């Protein structure tokens, strides 16, 4: 049995990281739930957030917290045309057409990042987030706590947006039955455009936090996409709070996996969970059966 | 009528496009008759891209200088050198196929190597099979020798056993006071397993260190919360890490996150390129990494090469500009000495190399290797400083903060 301090520290870090991972997965969940689109370029959108922070916000001298909403807005602005001109024309085609388009987009984006930013390893200096917080025997990075709190705030804000606003009503209607929504006057194409932009905005913010805690390169997106899929499946497709629960659960279980098997087996834990959930409860923890 | 005209236009367009594509393909495959093509597969993307861009500059600079000096005259005919680089994307399979392509399609007469054992050896095996001379400056000698008995491939680099021991020698020599508790974190790549899994544990025993933690992880792992929690709990004063740059940055940041600071922190491989210091920021201060070259070393052209690199690229210098520059010059000198385009003759000339290059003295032994002396470099205020051995030191050892 591991030292108790190590177990407690790992679990606390797991919970905090889980919150950040949940935010990183939120965009994927929304896009999948509303548009039925498996966005294989989600990892690259995360990384785009990191690059925007390093190459646009920080050179402008903006504080990290102030820069985050700007990253979100910029990401939404960049993502909207992608949906409008690349994915929307495929709306009438089988779903794999759009999925394969996002796969192609992910490869294009990786190469664009290499051309623009070189293949160097980057990491974001998020204010004084690098310092440590010590509570008794438990120590964790300030950035972990900042990331966790920000994730909760963003997830609650997105939940409010979807459950309490006119846009949210249209979005839920489009997700439930796009044809009926269109008949009732909802501009489904517009909703899909804004949904993709919202997903990209969440991914951008998640990418900044991921890039602050870890490091990233132009090809790091795939690693985080895998975690995001596991979280979305765990929590339930398109379920906002399910994504949070999935993230926290994955964070804790990955920490337990790391404790028992070593840090190198964290992703294995995530993949096993993904397969188990798909086999036993494909609708996810908070998802409804058949919907 | 209109449809027929459109059909004609379409077919002409297709024919013109096909002609253009064929023309471009032919243009890429053919070279001027008075050019000697030197091929190189380099990691210009992927996790090792931090090495590749420096190597590319070193190779290209050596080739450009040789051409400015008049190239080479063979049988009364003047030749210039042309470097063709293909990106191996940090993938050994691509490194092997690139080498095939460079030799067969690009008509490379000779080859220069990629970086790290996995990439260099993958390409080197192809060159060896095709009897094409290849000189590399980025493959630790033990890993290179372990593959096979080489005939056409030559390696100028450090011996990983010496590099691994350098940090222990440094601590002894500089009198760095620790309680001799040590932790090892290493990836499960070929060199990570050898250095972290075998050489360091043996050296720890030899120098009287107690290993309190030993963690192995996959090369692409990014989360180290359990490993750093263990570090925090066991509090070793010496931490040795063997990982590539993204992982090294991640480990360093996660150590800081739990408030763990060892007295000695050596991060081999990953802490070597400048991008480590940029990505880790202040956290890079005090991080050690083995070194085999610094602009301050008294080798011909060392300081000038460094200044030239910084002037041309605006980047801080890396030791990989020196090993690549030297490898390319060894190859060029061999072609000049052989006075022949025959690969066997060039290979014989490489074997006879005995000269001090910008990276240090180069003379190959029976295993086709030439060993570079080792130093310890440390990041201080974002700059690499040689802190050991004393006679080469450009700064004083500091502890990580």
């Amino acid at each position: 049995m591991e030292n108790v301090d190590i177990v407690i520290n790992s679990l606390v870090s797991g919970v905090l990281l889980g919150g950040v991972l949940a935010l990183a997965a939120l965009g994927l969940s929304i896009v999948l739930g509303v548009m039925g689109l498996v966005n294989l370029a989600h990892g690259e959108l995360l990384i785009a957030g990191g690059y925007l922070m390093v190459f646009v916000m920080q050179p402008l001298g903006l504080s990290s917290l102030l820069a985050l909403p700007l990253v979100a807005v910029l990401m939404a602005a960049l993502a909207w045309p992608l949906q409008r001109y690349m994915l929307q024309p495929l709306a009438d085609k089988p779903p794999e057409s759009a999925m394969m388009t996002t796969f192609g987009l992910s490869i294009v984006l990786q190469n664009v990042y290499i051309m623009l930013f070189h293949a160097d390893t980057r990491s974001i200096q998020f204010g004084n987030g690098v310092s440590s917080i010590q509570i008794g025997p438990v120590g964790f990075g300030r950035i972990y706590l900042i990331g966790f709190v920000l994730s909760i705030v963003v997830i609650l804000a997105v939940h409010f947006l979807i459950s309490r606003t006119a846009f949210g009503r249209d979005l839920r209607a489009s997700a439930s039955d796009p044809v009926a929504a269109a008949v009732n006057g909802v501009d489904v194409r517009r909703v899909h455009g804004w949904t993709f932009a919202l997903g990209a905005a969440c991914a951008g913010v998640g990418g900044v936090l991921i890039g602050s805690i870890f490091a990233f390169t132009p090809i790091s997106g795939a690693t985080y996409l895998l975690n995001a899929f596991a979280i979305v499946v765990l929590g339930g497709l398109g379920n906002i709070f399910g994504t949070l629960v999935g993230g926290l659960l994955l964070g804790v279980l990955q920490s337990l996996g790391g404790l028992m098997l070593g840090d190198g087996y964290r992703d294995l834990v995530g993949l096993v969970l993904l397969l188990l959930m798909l086999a036993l409860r494909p609708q996810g923890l908070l998802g409804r059966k058949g919907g | 009528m209109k449809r027929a005209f459109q059909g004609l236009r379409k077919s002409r367009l297709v024919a013109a496009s096909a002609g253009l594509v064929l023309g471009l393909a032919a243009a890429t495959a053919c070279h001027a008759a008075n050019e000697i093509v030197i091929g190189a597969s380099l990691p210009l993307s992927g996790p090792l891209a931090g090495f590749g861009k420096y190597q590319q500059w070193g190779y290209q600079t050596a080739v450009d200088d040789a051409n400015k000096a008049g190239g080479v005259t063979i049988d009364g005919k003047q030749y210039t050198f042309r470097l063709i680089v293909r990106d191996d994307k940090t993938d050994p399979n691509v490194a092997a196929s690139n080498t095939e392509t460079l030799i067969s399609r690009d008509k490379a007469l000779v080859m220069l190597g990629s970086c790290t054992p996995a990439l260099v050896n993958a390409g080197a095996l192809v060159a060896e099979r095709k009897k094409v001379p290849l000189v590399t400056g980025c493959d630790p000698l033990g890993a290179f020798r372990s593959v096979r008995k080489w005939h056409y491939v030559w390696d100028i680099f450090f011996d990983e056993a010496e590099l691994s021991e350098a940090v222990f020698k440094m601590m002894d020599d500089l009198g760095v006071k620790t309680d001799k508790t040590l932790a090892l974190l290493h990836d499960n790549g070929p060199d990570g397993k050898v250095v972290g899994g075998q050489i360091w544990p043996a050296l720890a025993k030899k120098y009287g260190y107690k290993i309190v933690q030993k963690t192995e992880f996959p090369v692409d792992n990014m989360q180290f919360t359990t490993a750093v929690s263990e570090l925090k709990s066991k509090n070793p004063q010496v931490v040795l890490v063997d990982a590539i740059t993204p992982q090294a940055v991640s480990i360093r940041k996660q150590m800081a996150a739990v408030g763990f600071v060892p007295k000695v922190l050596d991060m081999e491989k990953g802490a070597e390129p400048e991008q480590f210091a940029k990505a880790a920021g202040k956290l890079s201060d005090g991080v050690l990494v083995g070194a085999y070259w610094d602009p301050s070393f008294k080798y011909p052209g060392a300081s000038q090469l460094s200044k030239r690199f910084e002037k041309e690229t605006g980047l801080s210098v890396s030791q990989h500009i020196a090993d690549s520059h030297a490898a390319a010059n060894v190859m060029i000198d061999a072609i000049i000495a052989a006075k022949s385009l025959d690969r066997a003759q060039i290979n014989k000339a490489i074997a006879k190399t005995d000269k001090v290059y910008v990276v240090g003295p180069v003379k190959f032994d029976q295993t086709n290797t030439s060993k570079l002396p080792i130093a310890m470099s440390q990041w201080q205020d974002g700059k690499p400083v040689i802190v050991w051995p004393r006679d080469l030191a450009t700064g004083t050892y500091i502890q990580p903060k």
Side-chain angles (χ1 to χ4, degrees):
Chain A
M1 184 60 188
E2 297 282 352
N3 181 312
V4 177
D5 285 357
I6 299 173
V7 175
I8 295 172
N9 273 291
S10 291
L11 289 177
V12 169
S13 295
V15 170
L16 297 177
L17 273 176
V20 176
L21 293 176
L23 177 58
L26 184 61
L28 184 74
S29 179
I30 296 169
V31 169
L32 191 55
V34 175
M35 299 167 64
L37 171 66
V38 180
N39 181 12
L40 296 176
H42 180 76
E44 280 63 42
L45 296 179
L46 280 170
I47 300 302
Y51 280 122
L52 278 177
M53 192 69 171
V54 171
F55 286 99
V56 180
M57 301 305 163
Q58 292 190 331
L60 289 174
L62 296 173
S63 81
S64 301
L65 281 174
L66 181 64
L68 268 181
L70 292 177
V71 167
V73 171
L74 271 176
M75 283 298 297
L78 291 170
W80 188 86
L82 289 178
Q83 198 281 333
R84 177 67 185 83
Y85 297 107
M86 281 184 68
L87 300 173
Q88 188 64 51
L90 301 172
D92 299 332
K93 302 281 189 297
E96 56 268 25
S97 305
M99 187 179 79
M100 292 313 293
T101 301
T102 61
F103 177 63
L105 179 63
S106 76
I107 293 170
V108 169
L109 286 176
Q110 284 178 20
N111 286 283
V112 168
Y113 298 158
I114 289 170
M115 277 197 309
L116 292 179
F117 312 118
H118 306 294
D120 290 359
T121 301
R122 312 278 176 186
S123 193
I124 297 164
Q125 316 300 326
F126 196 101
N128 64 347
V130 79
S131 57
S132 171
I133 294 173
Q134 197 69 36
I135 303 170
V138 181
F140 51 84
R142 191 179 297 269
I143 184 62
Y144 287 49
L145 187 62
I146 295 169
F148 182 79
V149 171
L150 280 172
S151 295
I152 301 291
V153 168
V154 173
I155 287 169
L156 286 175
V158 171
H159 173 72
F160 177 81
L161 181 74
I162 289 176
S163 62
R164 302 290 170 87
T165 65
F167 168 69
R169 186 195 59 217
D170 290 354
L171 187 145
R172 280 181 281 127
S174 302
S176 175
D177 188 338
V179 177
V183 168
N184 283 285
V186 175
D187 186 345
V188 176
R189 283 170 49 156
R190 189 181 66 89
V191 170
H192 281 185
W194 285 115
T195 302
F196 194 78
L198 176 65
C202 294
V205 176
V208 170
L209 297 176
I210 293 269
S212 303
I213 295 171
F214 307 116
F216 61 95
T217 69
I219 58 165
S220 297
T223 310
Y224 300 113
L225 179 66
L226 198 66
N227 274 329
F229 269 125
I231 290 168
V232 169
V233 171
L234 272 175
L237 303 187
N239 189 310
I240 305 299
F241 284 123
T243 306
L244 178 60
V245 171
L248 296 177
L249 190 62
L250 185 75
V252 170
L253 291 176
Q254 281 194 340
S255 289
L256 288 174
L259 277 169
M260 288 186 282
L261 304 168
D263 276 319
Y265 292 91
R266 286 170 171 274
D267 287 343
L268 175 72
V269 172
L271 282 172
V272 169
L273 275 176
L274 176 75
L275 293 175
L276 279 176
M277 190 55 80
L278 284 173
L280 302 175
R281 193 177 162 82
Q283 72 271 30
L285 290 172
L286 301 191
R288 289 187 193 141
K289 208 164 188 175
Chain B
M1 180 68 181
K2 192 178 174 186
R3 187 174 287 174
F5 179 68
Q6 280 177 341
L8 188 65
R9 272 187 17 183
K10 206 172 188 177
S11 64
R12 278 184 183 169
L13 190 66
V14 170
S17 304
L20 184 67
V21 170
L22 282 172
L24 284 172
T28 54
C30 293
H31 308 292
N34 59 348
E35 271 183 352
I36 293 173
V37 176
I38 301 175
S41 173
L42 291 175
L44 300 178
S45 58
L48 295 180
F51 298 138
K53 67 181 177 188
Y54 294 109
Q55 287 183 287
Q56 187 175 21
W57 186 89
Y59 287 163
Q60 190 64 58
T61 302
V63 166
D64 290 346
D65 288 352
N67 286 335
K68 273 183 203 159
V72 55
T73 306
I74 297 171
D75 294 335
K77 190 174 175 185
Q78 191 77 13
Y79 290 88
T80 55
F81 299 100
R82 180 178 175 195
L83 177 72
I84 298 182
V85 174
R86 286 181 178 267
D87 179 12
D88 59 34
K89 301 177 170 60
T90 316
D91 181 340
N93 295 322
V94 180
S97 66
N98 275 354
T99 307
E100 289 269 7
T101 306
L102 284 159
I103 294 168
S104 56
R105 194 195 299 172
D106 298 329
K107 308 294 179 201
L109 178 70
V110 293
M111 293 287 303
L112 297 170
S114 185
C115 197
T116 71
L119 298 176
V120 174
N121 296 344
L125 284 167
V126 175
E128 180 76 19
R129 193 175 71 239
K130 290 180 172 287
K131 297 188 176 177
V132 175
L134 183 150
V135 178
T136 181
C138 192
D139 190 357
L141 303 186
F144 175 77
R145 290 190 200 107
S146 69
V147 178
R148 58 165 291 160
K149 167 77 181 136
W150 299 97
H151 299 285
Y152 276 81
V153 184
W154 309 83
D155 188 13
I156 308 157
F157 214 41
F158 61 79
D159 187 293
E160 54 268 64
E162 275 188 17
L163 181 88
S164 308
E165 192 167 6
V167 66
F168 291 97
K169 284 183 173 173
M170 183 210 81
M171 287 189 286
D172 263 11
D173 191 27
L174 299 185
V176 180
K177 299 282 180 214
T178 69
D179 62 3
K180 296 224 161 188
T181 52
L182 179 144
L184 300 174
L185 283 77
H186 65 92
D187 66 37
N188 62 3
D191 45 344
K193 269 181 175 282
V194 172
V195 173
Q198 297 168 19
I199 300 175
W200 272 343
L203 289 168
K205 194 175 173 186
K206 177 181 167 185
Y207 283 86
Y209 285 81
K210 183 186 174 193
I211 299 175
V212 296
Q213 180 182 342
K214 196 169 178 306
T215 302
E216 183 177 313
F217 50 86
V219 175
D220 57 353
N221 192 54
M222 289 298 269
Q223 289 190 44
F224 299 93
T225 48
T226 305
V228 296
S229 294
E230 200 177 337
L231 283 175
K232 171 84 173 165
S233 174
K234 294 180 176 168
N235 200 29
Q237 293 194 343
V238 180
V239 176
L240 309 182
V241 179
D242 191 287
I244 57 176
T245 306
Q247 281 62 36
V249 173
S250 216
I251 290 170
R252 185 66 191 98
K253 289 193 94 168
Q254 288 175 59
M255 277 182 184
V258 297
F260 171 71
V261 188
K263 285 191 172 174
V264 177
L265 176 56
D266 179 20
M267 304 185 100
E268 291 303 333
K269 281 195 309 220
E272 197 263 313
E274 188 196 18
Q275 57 175 285
F276 170 82
K278 283 190 171 168
K282 281 275 173 204
L283 293 176
S284 68
D285 275 358
V287 175
L288 291 161
V289 62
Y292 51 86
W293 186 79
D294 185 83
S296 64
F297 289 2
K298 305 294 178 206
Y299 299 133
S303 170
Q304 293 89 325
L305 191 74
S306 166
K307 284 177 189 156
R308 186 173 165 190
F309 174 80
E310 290 182 341
K311 190 179 172 190
E312 287 182 16
T313 66
L315 299 169
S316 293
V317 74
S318 153
Q319 47 195 355
H320 286 294
I321 65 166
D323 60 59
S324 52
H325 189 268
N329 272 321
V330 166
M331 182 63 85
I332 289 165
D333 285 350
I335 294 170
I336 293 169
K339 294 178 184 164
S340 168
L341 298 181
D342 180 68
R343 286 167 171 153
Q345 294 301 317
I346 295 168
N347 203 50
K348 279 182 189 167
I350 296 171
K352 289 178 186 163
T353 301
D354 185 2
K355 182 177 169 183
V356 181
Y357 286 88
V358 70
V359 77
V362 177
K363 186 175 184 180
F364 295 104
D365 62 15
Q366 298 93 329
T367 62
N368 285 23
T369 59
S370 177
K371 190 165 68 179
L372 298 174
I374 285 295
M376 284 306 289
S377 174
Q378 186 175 49
W379 288 104
Q380 296 184 8
D381 291 326
K383 299 278 178 200
V385 172
I386 298 293
V387 292
W388 182 85
R390 289 173 192 269
D391 57 331
L392 296 177
T394 55
T396 313
Y397 175 79
I398 59 166
Q399 284 190 10
K401 292 167 192 163

